[in-house]
Amino acid sequence: MEVLDKYSSLIKPKLINNIEAYMVFDKPAHKPNAEAKIYVLLNNHGSRRDIHYKIVSIDRNREVFSKRINVDEKKFLIETISIETPDKPGRFCYKLFIDNEQIDNTCFLVGDPSSREQMYFTIVWHHHQAPNYLPDGRIHGPWAYIYVWSDLLKPYGKGPYHYHSVMLNIHPHFKATYNLSPSLLRQWQIAVEKGVEFVNGEKYDPNHEKIRLVEETLNNYREALFKGQIDVLTSIYAHTIGGFLTDVLGATNIVEEEIRYGKEVTSKIMGNNYNPQGIWTPEMAFSMKLIPIYYDLDIKYTVLDDKFHFFHAEGNKDSQYEPYMVIDTESKKYITVFFRDHDLSDILGFRNNFYSEPHAWRNAYEFALRVAEKWFDKNVKVLTIALDGENWMSFSVNPPLTAYFLDKMIIYLETLSDNKFIKLSTLREIYNKVPANRILTNIPTNSWLGTFRKWRGEVPQHEEYWIKTYSVYRKLLAYEEMIGGRDEFSNEARWALWHALDSDYWWAEFWLPKIIDTWLSVAENILNNRINKIQIIDVRPASEFYEDEKAGLVVTIRNQLEKEIRVSFAIGGTGFSSVNNDLETVKMNPNSSYTRIIPVKAKFIGKHKMVVSAISKGLIIDSKIIDINVKPKLLPNPR
């Protein structure tokens, strides 16, 4: 038997003499004494040949079916065998043999759905794209559109975003949760309303068939949302690592305003006065400092990781398969958290490289079986799976087969729901129906990866760029401190900074310093143009300087801004200090100059360099260096 190990999947592709064969059941879970169907999937990669296959019950240790069959060249056959399920609950397994060599073994479950409460189930699909436009509006990264109108999933569908929306139409009883990231929604909306232009010169107006496909995709999600088939989560506008920004950069206000704007975008573009209640925490980069932000913005729930968040959390913990109220003990604010099953999510996210249709089908069955197995654990109230909605498809070695897999997986999940083993749901529905009865008081700052090194550490330039970014942010804060709040210029700088902070540009494998630099330059140029209008135009001694005696320094500063400012003066130089030992703060009117005498004391005699600086929130706005000659102090006459 040949096993194709290069295909990363739950069940590896297996061939015996060019015959690929698997065994699946019509449903992963059945009721007792019911009819079940076995499907034998035979895929001949060689010439026409006769084969013999048999199915053996592992539990009963006996053959249940045997047949000799002719399989045509390059033919995919499906053989159907009916069996009766046992009268007792359990896991029942069978082996498949081809020409007396075992090639597969598969199981199904038997249980009485009325013996326990239904297990709530949802998949949270995270559809996201960075705001991949330049300051002039041209698109530098086409993925928001390519994943709609490309033939990536041909012959089963178009791009992943469109295909997901089609699946919702084909399977109207399937429920799921989607995060349509605000920056993705905005790029779709811009294309629908104004058309789109790419940096390579391609242009499409709103009437182009490709743009109409974008509109169709968006409308499919809207329709699914308003008939209750999906929940749409909002998010930070640009896909950034919120917990990192709050804890490392102290940029809580950036996170807050991006979420506020992201929520507005989600509400406006989804339409119908939609009010998103849930939020996707990008990269699950969580910090407890996010809770007051979420709470104040009327966000009710989010999704985190069981492996890297729940298992390290503090509080009244039981099973990760139930919602928890997470409380910030300082502010008393809270949010409900659902913890995704890390292992099941990663199976979908990364073990999706399929060799053929029957191989994809076999893996869809195996995944649904693992979902069904959770039903036997009565502590599992809510099973949440969460992952990227597009990348698991586009990054597969064989993207079209992920579409085939998704269709089969949905069908199996629907059978579990039809038989009341699981309840296909949205997160909003679960939030409303399953109360959070346990409280967590701390979840350590972390991401779904268990580290932040993917965004700071794996690339040698990372640290340089984070320092550069933090410097721009500090300059922004200094400007706003100086003018006493925000204005249209600082808002423009903030907008640019949001884009530079998008985590997709920092991800090690997709590192895009050019885009980061582009947006940082926009922000810094705006701030520099404003800050440079504050100048120290004159510094001179008010009198002679003598050692250890107070003297005066005359400083004149000019404000060429059209608004009032506040700055502080700092004195630097060997042996010089301000008499008050505090920064001297001045308030200046718009378009004015101001002169102040600052009391200074010199410790050493001789010629010195003195630096006078205008400062706001730790940033030197302007500085001037002058030469000071400090003379020795003579003692008075004895008499």
Side-chain angles (χ1 to χ4, degrees):
M1 180 171 64
E2 181 184 6
V3 179
L4 305 180
D5 286 323
K6 71 175 184 178
Y7 290 90
S8 173
S9 51
L10 268 178
I11 304 298
K12 300 288 186 183
K14 299 170 187 174
L15 293 87
I16 295 176
N17 296 325
N18 288 322
I19 297 292
E20 182 188 9
Y22 310 97
M23 178 172 53
V24 298
F25 292 86
D26 57 337
K27 303 170 187 176
H30 292 77
K31 297 176 183 178
N33 298 314
E35 181 187 31
K37 292 180 180 178
I38 301 173
Y39 298 133
V40 176
L41 313 178
L42 300 169
N43 198 21
N44 185 4
H45 294 271
S47 57
R48 177 175 177 172
R49 55 168 298 199
D50 290 333
I51 64 166
H52 173 259
Y53 74 85
K54 67 179 179 179
I55 300 168
V56 174
S57 168
I58 296 175
D59 307 282
R60 299 173 185 176
N61 195 28
R62 66 178 179 85
E63 183 179 300
V64 297
F65 191 81
S66 177
K67 184 178 180 180
R68 181 168 293 280
I69 187 173
N70 186 275
V71 185
D72 287 340
E73 180 179 357
K74 309 296 182 182
K75 190 75 173 177
F76 172 27
L77 293 179
I78 303 169
E79 292 278 297
T80 305
I81 301 100
S82 294
I83 61 171
E84 184 178 2
T85 63
D87 58 2
K88 61 181 179 180
R91 190 174 193 268
F92 300 93
C93 301
Y94 294 77
K95 296 178 182 178
L96 173 66
F97 291 82
I98 299 293
D99 294 336
N100 292 318
E101 184 176 357
Q102 182 181 336
I103 194 169
D104 197 12
N105 64 278
T106 318
C107 305
F108 67 86
L109 308 177
V110 173
D112 179 4
S114 66
S115 65
R116 62 155 289 178
E117 293 182 0
Q118 264 186 293
M119 180 180 78
Y120 284 86
F121 175 85
T122 192
I123 299 179
V124 183
W125 298 109
H126 170 44
H127 284 358
H128 72 289
Q129 287 300 325
N132 287 324
Y133 44 82
L134 296 174
D136 63 8
R138 291 179 303 144
I139 301 297
H140 64 81
W143 313 116
Y145 308 108
I146 294 295
Y147 287 167
V148 172
W149 67 51
S150 74
D151 290 326
L152 184 69
L153 303 179
K154 189 179 179 179
Y156 309 103
K158 303 293 288 181
Y161 295 143
H162 183 262
Y163 186 77
H164 270 269
S165 76
V166 170
M167 285 292 99
L168 293 171
N169 286 334
I170 291 175
H171 300 283
H173 300 296
F174 178 69
K175 288 187 172 184
T177 303
Y178 281 84
N179 166 231
L180 305 175
S181 73
S183 52
L184 173 63
L185 283 176
R186 187 169 179 270
Q187 287 172 91
W188 284 352
Q189 187 74 351
I190 289 171
V192 168
E193 292 180 350
K194 300 177 181 179
V196 66
E197 180 181 356
F198 297 93
V199 292
N200 65 2
E202 280 185 71
K203 293 182 182 180
Y204 300 107
D205 64 42
N207 295 318
H208 193 280
E209 62 179 353
K210 289 184 174 180
I211 303 302
R212 289 202 298 269
L213 203 62
V214 173
E215 186 174 22
E216 175 188 305
T217 301
L218 181 54
N219 286 336
N220 285 346
Y221 287 114
R222 286 170 173 158
E223 181 182 346
L225 172 65
F226 291 113
K227 69 182 182 183
Q229 187 180 6
I230 66 173
D231 178 19
V232 173
L233 308 181
T234 190
S235 191
I236 299 174
Y237 172 69
H239 187 270
T240 195
I241 40 180
F244 179 90
L245 296 193
T246 59
D247 288 22
V248 177
L249 302 189
T252 303
N253 56 21
I254 291 285
V255 174
E256 187 276 337
E257 67 188 8
E258 274 207 72
I259 295 174
R260 183 185 301 276
Y261 181 73
K263 189 177 179 185
E264 291 172 1
V265 169
T266 302
S267 178
K268 178 181 177 182
I269 295 180
M270 295 313 297
N272 250 9
N273 296 314
Y274 177 62
N275 179 30
Q277 294 188 347
I279 190 167
W280 177 268
T281 303
E283 307 293 1
M284 298 185 181
F286 181 78
S287 162
M288 291 295 290
K289 293 177 182 177
L290 294 177
I291 290 180
I293 298 174
Y294 288 171
Y295 182 91
D296 290 343
L297 293 174
D298 200 29
I299 300 294
K300 306 296 187 184
Y301 50 88
T302 192
V303 181
L304 297 178
D305 189 70
D306 63 359
K307 181 176 180 180
F308 293 116
H309 292 115
F310 177 78
F311 294 135
H312 302 280
E314 299 170 11
N316 182 21
K317 287 199 298 186
D318 189 16
S319 166
Q320 68 265 42
Y321 299 110
E322 61 179 282
Y324 283 82
M325 181 182 293
V326 183
I327 295 181
D328 172 44
T329 54
E330 183 176 339
S331 67
K332 308 303 180 187
K333 296 175 181 179
Y334 56 87
I335 190 171
T336 295
V337 174
F338 297 92
F339 293 96
R340 73 164 187 162
D341 186 301
H342 181 100
D343 293 335
L344 284 176
S345 299
D346 274 7
I347 287 170
L348 273 186
F350 302 108
R351 299 176 69 180
N352 46 46
N353 296 305
F354 307 123
Y355 175 64
S356 62
E357 283 189 357
H359 182 232
W361 185 349
R362 175 68 179 89
N363 276 272
Y365 178 82
E366 189 69 21
F367 180 81
L369 178 63
R370 296 198 181 194
V371 170
E373 285 173 339
K374 298 290 184 183
W375 178 85
F376 279 100
D377 183 351
K378 293 186 178 182
N379 288 322
V380 181
K381 298 177 183 177
V382 177
L383 177 57
T384 304
I385 292 168
L387 68 153
D388 289 351
E390 69 287 280
N391 288 343
W392 74 281
M393 305 182 88
S394 60
F395 294 160
S396 168
V397 298
N398 199 339
L401 287 176
T402 63
Y404 185 87
F405 167 94
L406 179 59
D407 187 31
K408 291 294 185 184
M409 181 193 74
I410 290 174
I411 291 170
Y412 280 126
L413 293 174
E414 287 178 321
T415 69
L416 292 173
S417 182
D418 291 343
N419 282 340
K420 301 190 182 308
F421 287 100
I422 68 173
K423 184 171 180 57
L424 289 171
S425 310
T426 68
L427 270 189
R428 182 180 290 235
E429 181 181 0
I430 299 169
Y431 172 78
N432 289 328
K433 293 185 176 180
V434 183
N437 295 322
R438 298 178 185 275
I439 294 175
L440 300 179
T441 54
N442 184 50
I443 298 176
T445 301
N446 212 337
S447 73
W448 73 274
L449 281 171
T451 178
F452 288 97
R453 282 186 51 79
K454 185 63 68 177
W455 306 276
R456 182 194 179 190
E458 288 192 12
V459 174
Q461 288 177 284
H462 268 161
E463 198 68 10
E464 171 194 346
Y465 270 77
W466 278 117
I467 291 171
K468 185 188 298 188
T469 302
Y470 187 45
S471 297
V472 174
Y473 176 58
R474 291 284 299 274
K475 186 173 289 188
L476 169 69
L477 296 181
Y479 174 72
E480 292 175 340
E481 176 88 358
M482 184 177 72
I483 65 171
R486 299 184 186 180
D487 64 7
E488 65 272 28
F489 300 100
S490 70
N491 286 336
E492 287 179 18
R494 284 177 174 273
W495 173 258
L497 194 55
W498 294 0
H499 293 69
L501 286 167
D502 190 290
S503 69
D504 285 355
Y505 303 143
W506 297 81
W507 182 271
E509 285 76 12
F510 307 130
W511 170 236
L512 281 173
K514 182 179 179 180
I515 301 303
I516 297 170
D517 274 331
T518 296
W519 286 104
L520 284 182
S521 294
V522 170
E524 191 159 34
N525 288 340
I526 292 169
L527 296 170
N528 286 343
N529 287 339
R530 300 294 288 171
I531 289 171
N532 289 344
K533 293 184 178 182
I534 314 301
Q535 298 170 333
I536 298 174
I537 58 176
D538 185 43
V539 178
R540 54 188 169 80
S543 60
E544 298 280 3
F545 272 69
Y546 292 91
E547 65 177 320
D548 285 331
E549 282 198 354
K550 185 171 72 173
L553 199 64
V554 181
V555 179
T556 302
I557 185 168
R558 181 166 56 204
N559 172 21
Q560 293 178 289
L561 293 177
E562 70 289 347
K563 57 186 61 187
E564 183 178 279
I565 67 165
R566 289 178 182 269
V567 293
S568 301
F569 288 121
I571 306 299
T574 305
F576 289 103
S577 64
S578 172
V579 171
N580 297 326
N581 292 320
D582 291 319
L583 293 178
E584 296 278 341
T585 302
V586 300
K587 177 181 175 181
M588 298 185 64
N589 292 325
N591 295 306
S592 66
S593 295
Y594 183 90
T595 299
R596 167 172 285 196
I597 298 178
I598 301 175
V600 179
K601 184 180 283 189
K603 185 177 181 182
F604 305 116
I605 65 171
K607 291 183 179 180
H608 297 272
K609 298 287 187 185
M610 178 185 285
V611 181
V612 181
S613 301
I615 293 175
S616 176
K617 208 172 179 65
L619 176 77
I620 296 175
I621 303 297
D622 193 22
S623 61
K624 201 168 189 67
I625 302 174
I626 64 167
D627 292 319
I628 298 289
N629 185 23
V630 181
K631 298 177 180 180
K633 174 186 172 185
L634 289 175
L635 294 175
N637 289 334
R639 64 176 66 224

